[in-house]
Amino acid sequence: MIESYTDALNFIHGRTKFKKIPTLDRMRLFLDRLGNPQNGLQYIHVTGTNGKGSTVAMMRSILMATGLNVGSFASPFITRFNERIALNAEPISDTDLTRLAKKVEPVVHQLDQELATGGPTEFEIDTAIMFCYFAEKKPDLILLEVGIGGLYDSTNVITSLVSVITTVGWDHMKYLGDTLAQIAHQKAGIIKKNVPVVIGHLPLSARNVIIKEAAEKKAQIYELGKEFSIRKLNRHTMNAEIEYDGGELHHFRGKLNLSGDYQVENAAIAITTVQVALKKLGIPVNTVDLKKGLATTWWPGRMETIIDEPLVMIDGAHNLPGIQALVKSIRDDFSDRNVYILVAILADKQYELMLGELASLGNVHLMVTNFAGPGPKRPSADLTSVIGEFKTRYPIQIAENWQSGFVKLSQELGTDDVMFITGSLYFISEVRKILK
């Protein structure tokens, strides 16, 4: 029985994470028993290997600047579970979360008895609670971030105003497939009939799959580099000034509050998606609101400064494309400085390749460590087992735990040097709780 917030979290986190056979039937049945709370609401549906969170954060900020009430569903959370479900960037209250967990609990137990494969998974319960919350709050628009993939993701029970595919890269291969085309097929699952789709720069094999799916569904495509474009105006600075062209906007200029060069493409996707969605809602695009939204976007754990001097940043580069984006940012913006990196990665990621990317930087002092991990089934990788494979300018250091590693690197850090703490988002979350 759920009586408290702790009970609610224990109930949610105590559920199985994945089932052997992917299906949306269980989710549809679950929502049906709850009175289909997902119906009658407007959505923007977002998937992608990387960039989902930042793109959603920018869209939310822009849409709030236009005066809309905006719901958002994101994963994973950085500090508290409640961040996953937010209204106008305010996380769901402990009281509402507890009450809604209490509401879904009997239905979950009922389905446990009825279904041969058991009742809803943890993420299906998160999704159901989110739909129930927004059915009560009735926001003007909900930004719905996919958990994993798209096709069989529990969020994929709605028809949105716009579908968004930010990037396609190597991640979650155990569930999505081991070629980019297979991964793209899963992500293309959110494309719906006659619903426009906004896509970022995609590898050719992934792009072909998505273009084909969109054509079959008669979904109009807005592709970065074709229907819209963006460029960074100020080189070697972390916060980009951008010029965007697309839709109703010509030579639109703005400044991004989110750091990192990879945010430039995310911003282009966010601006385009907002334009398409607002047009469908009959709301004009206001450049003042756009500028304000981009300039005030905040998203924890993505190139986030936690100490100003010397500069210490955390970046949740939790997979190979994420690390490659971080490496590009270091090359572009910090090539003239000594960069210290404290890294810990989950064992189920491509940690050898990720570490290789970081080790390739000539100005980087690398230190590997570990952290608790989200659970016994997802431990931190033993990075010490692979460090011998890399030739680096400075020897790779090892820290028994991240706290002692952080202290040691802090003592080596000069005033003009930079420290990045990166790897798993769960690691970043753990660090942020203590250092922020």
Side-chain angles (χ1 to χ4, degrees), residues 73-91:
F73 182 56
S75 61
F77 60 93
I78 297 293
T79 345
R80 292 189 86 223
F81 177 86
N82 304 45
E83 292 164 28
R84 284 194 155 188
I85 303 166
L87 182 63
N88 295 328
E90 277 296 313

Side-chain angles (χ1 to χ4, degrees), residues 99-121:
R99 177 176 58 80
L100 292 170
K102 218 169 177 171
K103 178 181 177 174
V104 306
E105 185 189 30
V107 182
V108 170
H109 292 325
Q110 203 177 30
L111 293 173
D112 277 341
Q113 302 304 313
E114 287 178 33
L115 300 174
T117 55
T121 63

Side-chain angles (χ1 to χ4, degrees), residues 231-262:
R231 64 192 182 100
K232 184 180 176 183
L233 300 173
N234 53 340
R235 295 200 53 171
H236 306 303
T237 43
M238 285 197 312
N239 294 78
E241 285 175 24
I242 53 113
E243 185 175 85
Y244 167 95
D245 280 278
E248 308 288 308
L249 300 170
H250 306 288
H251 307 309
F252 165 79
R253 290 190 171 197
K255 185 164 187 184
L256 306 187
N257 195 41
L258 296 183
S259 303
D261 284 358
Y262 56 86

